[in-house]
Amino acid sequence: MFSKKKKNDIEDPITGNTADEQVTNVQAEESADAASTTEEVQPELSVEEKLQQEVAALNDKYLRLFAEFDNYKRRTQKERVELLQTAGKDVIVSMLPVLDDFDRANKAMEGATDVAPILEGLALVHHKLKSTLGQKGLKEMETIHTPFDTDLHEAITKIPAPNEELKGKVMDELEKGYTLNDKVIRFAKVVVGS
């Protein structure tokens, strides 16, 4: 009644497979692993394909850099426009107290009978205006009796010099010249001795 089982026909209590079936399963798994490793290894690329991949990578890099530079240009243009729109803001804000002083002076002149206090007030406002602009870097040019310089002066006319020392020098100033942070912003209009 009992049949003799071969050694390889003993069943595994967990899987129910015989030893021969287990060996077959292991061999099948090993061949599947070998097949998957051969699929992972890519075939050798030709030189042309490698160059095409390099070109594609460089083209992508170029496009990204171009887009980045374009964004930079737009951003700097926008900042420049904003700067130009608000460049004079701090100067204007610093001039507002002087404007207030002029408004007060106008009110004072309406009912004033004595001229001396008004002249004194106007002199104070004028001094305040000059000092405020001076704090922002504005300076008046000293021109009278200085040698004529085309980088600083604009000659309106020439008149005969009263003595030899004043020839080629500024005799009179019709309009003051100004510099802002040592850069000429308005040339002095002068009369030159000849």
Side-chain angles (χ1 to χ4, degrees):
M1 299 247 179
F2 288 102
S3 65
K4 259 188 167 175
K5 287 190 175 180
K6 295 182 185 175
K7 187 178 182 183
N8 291 340
D9 289 339
I10 298 174
E11 290 184 6
D12 184 5
I14 296 172
T15 60
N17 294 335
T18 61
D20 288 333
E21 290 173 338
Q22 287 178 356
V23 169
T24 307
N25 289 342
V26 170
Q27 287 174 348
E29 288 175 10
E30 286 175 357
S31 65
D33 288 341
S36 67
T37 56
T38 57
E39 288 174 5
E40 290 174 5
V41 175
Q42 295 178 351
E44 185 95 11
L45 294 176
S46 69
V47 174
E48 186 178 321
E49 290 172 336
K50 285 182 184 178
L51 290 175
Q52 285 177 345
Q53 286 180 349
E54 273 186 51
V55 167
L58 290 174
N59 195 20
D60 182 56
K61 184 178 178 182
Y62 165 75
L63 289 174
R64 289 177 190 277
L65 284 173
F66 184 77
E68 191 174 316
F69 180 72
D70 197 39
N71 289 339
Y72 167 77
K73 273 188 0 185
R74 272 195 236 120
R75 186 174 57 248
T76 54
Q77 277 182 327
K78 182 180 175 186
E79 288 171 357
R80 188 177 296 133
V81 167
E82 288 174 359
L83 180 67
L84 289 174
Q85 288 175 344
T86 60
K89 180 183 175 186
D90 65 329
V91 174
I92 298 296
V93 168
S94 67
M95 297 300 292
L96 291 177
V98 177
L99 184 62
D100 294 338
D101 289 346
F102 273 118
D103 289 340
R104 283 190 283 275
N106 281 336
K107 281 185 183 177
M109 283 194 292
E110 288 174 2
T113 55
D114 193 10
V115 178
I118 292 179
L119 290 176
E120 185 181 332
L122 285 176
L124 288 172
V125 172
H126 182 255
H127 176 72
K128 185 174 185 178
L129 176 64
K130 276 186 159 183
S131 67
T132 302
L133 291 173
Q135 290 171 357
K136 299 298 178 187
L138 186 73
K139 290 182 186 172
E140 284 183 16
M141 289 184 200
E142 295 295 326
T143 57
I144 303 292
H145 302 298
T146 60
F148 177 72
D149 184 358
T150 56
D151 291 336
L152 303 173
H153 308 126
E154 182 180 332
I156 300 301
T157 188
K158 286 186 177 184
I159 60 170
N163 59 35
E164 212 45 47
E165 282 183 14
L166 294 177
K167 281 189 178 180
K169 291 190 177 181
V170 175
M171 300 289 295
D172 192 16
E173 181 179 60
L174 302 175
E175 192 173 86
K176 288 184 181 271
Y178 291 95
T179 61
L180 181 64
N181 298 323
D182 298 325
K183 184 178 179 184
V184 177
I185 59 169
R186 186 170 88 177
F187 295 100
K189 293 183 179 175
V190 297
V191 176
V192 181
S194 60

